[in-house]
């Protein structure tokens, strides 16, 4: 009787729609809370070490005021170049997997995508050459 009830369609539907997702969510919340408890600092250490969790170099405050400041954007142009070229190379590698009958179409799509990336490449080259934007104020 109990096995027949467990294998019925209504019970399976209830399990798949409500009970299992709720149980998985509660398990996930319990896991996140356990990780929070494991990684939280001890209160006695947090009171003695004021700067331990601050964003200073090795937890030590700077000798000349606040060491937090704006970061130089020296490599922004190179970042744009990488972000524009890397997907193009991945797409090119994927086009090599296509069958020989589709090469013309695939390379046509590839060159369209490359034409979309060219303005980003030009912008990245310009930004990487602008030395005045690297200086911190």
């Amino acid at each position: 009787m109990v096995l027949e009830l467990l294998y019925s369609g209504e019970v399976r539907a209830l399990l798949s729609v409500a009970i299992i997702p709720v149980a998985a969510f509660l398990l996930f919340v319990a896991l996140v809370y356990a990780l929070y408890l494991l990684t939280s600092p001890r209160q006695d250490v947090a009171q003695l070490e004021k700067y331990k969790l601050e964003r200073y170099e090795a937890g030590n405050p700077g000798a000349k005021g606040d060491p937090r400041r704006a970061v130089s954007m020296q490599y922004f142009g190179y970042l744009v170049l990488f972000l524009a070229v890397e997907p193009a190379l991945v797409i090119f590698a994927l086009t090599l997997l296509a069958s020989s009958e589709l090469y013309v179409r695939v390379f046509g799509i590839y060159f369209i995508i490359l034409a979309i990336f060219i303005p980003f490449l030009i912008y990245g080259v310009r930004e990487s050459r602008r030395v005045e934007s690297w200086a911190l104020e």
Side-chain angles (χ1 to χ4, degrees):
M1 171 100 170
V2 174
L3 288 176
E4 291 174 6
L5 182 64
L6 286 177
Y7 288 113
S8 71
E10 294 84 17
V11 173
R12 283 182 156 181
L14 181 66
L15 279 173
S16 65
V17 173
I19 296 174
I20 292 177
V22 168
F25 176 74
L26 291 176
L27 183 67
F28 178 72
V29 169
L31 179 67
V32 168
Y33 186 68
L35 288 174
Y36 170 75
L37 290 178
L38 288 173
T39 58
S40 63
R42 291 184 3 206
Q43 289 300 321
D44 56 340
V45 174
Q47 289 174 354
L48 292 174
E49 304 279 343
K50 295 179 197 175
Y51 299 110
K52 186 170 182 75
L53 297 177
E54 292 293 324
R55 296 178 188 216
Y56 294 111
E57 179 73 27
N60 298 320
K64 297 180 181 178
D66 192 13
R68 299 176 193 162
R69 60 184 173 149
V71 179
S72 171
M73 295 301 287
Q74 177 179 358
Y75 300 108
F76 179 70
Y78 299 109
L79 176 68
V80 171
L81 286 174
F82 172 75
L83 292 175
V85 171
E86 193 263 341
L89 291 177
V90 169
I91 292 171
F92 180 70
L94 292 176
T95 58
L96 296 177
L97 298 174
S99 65
S100 59
E101 296 89 27
L102 298 175
Y103 273 166
V104 174
R105 290 182 182 173
V106 169
F107 280 115
I109 293 171
Y110 178 72
F111 286 120
I112 290 171
I113 292 172
L114 195 61
I116 293 170
F117 284 138
I118 286 175
F120 296 115
L121 294 173
I122 293 170
Y123 176 75
V125 169
R126 276 193 200 144
E127 282 298 313
S128 60
R129 289 182 181 169
R130 284 184 40 199
V131 179
E132 66 272 1
S133 66
W134 299 355
L136 293 174
E137 298 177 83

